[in-house]
Amino acid sequence: MNTPKSTVIYHSADFDGIFCREIARKFLGESAEYIGWNHGDPLIKMPEEGTVYILDLSPDCLDASQIQGKYWSRIVWIAHHKSSIEKYSTPPYPPINGYRIDGVAACRLAWQWFFNETVREVMNDPAYLPDKHAFVQRNVKEPRAVRLAGEYDIWDKRDPDADVFQYGLRSEKLDELWPSLLTTNSAEERHRGWNVVTGLLKNGELLQRYQREQDASVITHNGFDLEFDGLKFLACNAARFNSHLFTAAIRPEHDALFGFCWDGTQWKISLYHAPGKEHHDLSKIAVKYGGGGHRGACGFQVNSSMLPWSHLELMENIKIKMGTAGAPLFPVHTLGNAKELPA
């Protein structure tokens, strides 16, 4: 009798999810099916048989007809997003197998789930998995690359290499590097993996320096203050952004950061903590508008008719804050690759 094929559904939009995919591949091999998914993609129909791993996502990625108890026994859910953990931890949803800790990146959880020798000996009994304190204190056995990718994803700023490593990952095609990035075996293999990470960090330092200059130019020219949902945000419309975009223009009065763009069909909005304002739970705002994520990094997507402000009100607010009331919305050269904002 053939064993049903496993399916791995992973978050395709960031390196936390991509590391999850490669960790699962290292354990499951090529016999599994790997499906990337991002928010806004068509919902996924679960296969009729086999284990389904949902990594760095929530069951919201599944077809609505399958978000019910009879499918739960085949799901292994590994994730760390506060809003989705809370949603699926209460009735009417039954308990789901897996490993979830708010504040620990999914790739670090996935490594322990698949490769913690003690856990394997007791058939993946979660009671033998590390708790949050162990991860925070780095008292877990894991590859250096997994730790750096994971700490970046949850805004753990203790090791500056975590930020640099993200740039390094974007500097190379990683297909041939995964075996070295994901090893804790022999001393020779660990040494080779350490050298690969060190090389990526060198590349990342150069890219980070360039990107900081670009970000400073964008935010100082196009950033503006926005009062939204009771908080004062430093906001910016840009084609691509993360929390680093805002660094050069953050002031003490900013409660949080607000990046947004129009992708041709809908508004994509991301919210981030401002330094020293980590007490704000931004995920509650994201959930209010149909999204989710972490306390300090989350987002939502809406069309023009669902915006919590009108387009013209927002544009007039931008022009007033920038001292350009009555002027064209933006000169073409400030838009970069962003879509033209809809009227």
Side-chain angles (χ1 to χ4, degrees):
M1 181 177 177
N2 293 330
T3 302
K5 180 170 67 174
S6 295
T7 301
V8 176
I9 304 171
Y10 65 93
H11 188 204
S12 60
D14 63 21
F15 280 114
D16 189 22
I18 292 169
F19 265 78
C20 284
R21 178 195 68 196
E22 294 304 317
I23 291 167
R25 193 193 306 277
K26 181 178 175 69
F27 185 79
L28 299 171
E30 297 300 334
S31 62
E33 180 180 7
Y34 298 88
I35 302 173
W37 191 87
N38 191 25
H39 304 282
D41 290 347
L43 298 178
I44 296 171
K45 194 87 170 178
M46 278 178 60
E48 292 301 318
E49 295 183 305
T51 301
V52 176
Y53 295 89
I54 301 178
L55 308 180
D56 196 33
L57 292 168
S58 83
D60 289 343
C61 66
L62 299 175
D63 185 276
S65 65
Q66 296 183 319
I67 302 182
Q68 53 185 290
K70 72 175 185 177
Y71 293 95
W72 260 210
S73 63
R74 294 195 291 115
I75 292 176
V76 174
W77 179 28
I78 299 175
H80 64 125
H81 298 99
K82 176 179 179 287
S83 56
S84 60
I85 292 173
E86 290 178 349
K87 174 180 177 180
Y88 286 100
S89 295
T90 56
Y93 304 107
I96 311 175
N97 191 26
Y99 192 21
R100 296 171 293 279
I101 301 177
D102 175 23
V104 179
C107 64
R108 300 184 75 190
L109 300 174
W111 181 268
Q112 295 301 320
W113 182 267
F114 287 116
F115 291 103
N116 184 305
E117 294 178 4
T118 303
V119 175
R120 287 209 303 277
E121 289 171 2
V122 294
M123 301 181 66
N124 288 349
D125 185 340
Y128 290 83
L129 289 163
D131 60 12
K132 183 174 182 177
H133 179 76
F135 284 103
V136 172
Q137 296 301 316
R138 299 171 178 157
N139 292 328
V140 296
K141 184 179 179 181
E142 62 188 352
R144 181 188 184 195
V146 172
R147 178 182 66 78
L148 290 174
E151 290 186 347
Y152 173 87
D153 195 72
I154 57 99
W155 276 46
D156 185 336
K157 303 295 185 182
R158 291 175 295 167
D159 187 346
D161 281 350
D163 279 352
V164 178
F165 189 54
Q166 287 288 306
Y167 290 100
L169 290 170
R170 290 171 170 81
S171 72
E172 297 279 357
K173 292 183 177 180
L174 299 177
D175 293 351
E176 296 181 0
L177 299 182
W178 288 117
S180 296
L181 292 173
L182 301 178
T183 184
T184 57
N185 294 330
S186 68
E188 181 180 351
E189 289 179 342
R190 291 197 301 273
H191 180 70
R192 183 163 58 248
W194 186 275
N195 287 340
V196 169
V197 171
T198 299
L200 291 174
L201 289 172
K202 289 180 179 178
N203 293 347
E205 288 173 355
L206 297 174
L207 293 175
Q208 184 187 54
R209 190 177 308 129
Y210 170 80
Q211 190 62 54
R212 281 176 175 170
E213 294 175 356
Q214 297 299 306
D215 288 345
S217 176
V218 170
I219 194 64
T220 54
H221 286 86
N222 297 344
F224 61 96
D225 292 346
L226 177 68
E227 299 285 345
F228 174 61
D229 220 79
L231 298 178
K232 175 176 279 190
F233 287 84
L234 172 59
C236 189
N237 171 231
R240 293 180 179 87
F241 48 81
N242 58 28
S243 61
H244 298 304
L245 169 66
F246 302 87
T247 301
I250 296 173
R251 300 191 305 277
E253 62 266 29
H254 289 134
D255 296 307
L257 314 173
F258 187 110
F260 67 103
C261 69
W262 177 258
D263 70 0
T265 60
Q266 60 188 347
W267 289 91
K268 299 176 71 173
I269 297 159
S270 294
L271 311 178
Y272 306 100
H273 272 156
K277 304 295 179 71
E278 290 80 7
H279 57 282
H280 294 301
D281 187 352
L282 303 179
S283 69
K284 292 182 178 179
I285 299 176
V287 168
K288 178 179 177 180
Y289 294 103
H294 307 292
R295 287 176 58 89
C298 52
F300 57 97
Q301 302 173 358
V302 293
N303 59 40
S304 293
S305 64
M306 294 173 62
L307 278 175
W309 58 76
S310 76
H311 172 70
L312 292 178
E313 286 173 341
L314 176 62
M315 292 301 98
E316 188 59 31
N317 182 46
I318 293 173
K319 290 189 287 183
I320 291 171
K321 295 295 185 183
M322 296 178 68
T324 57
L329 292 182
F330 291 103
V332 174
H333 74 272
T334 67
L335 287 169
N337 294 322
K339 300 283 187 179
E340 193 71 46
L341 297 174

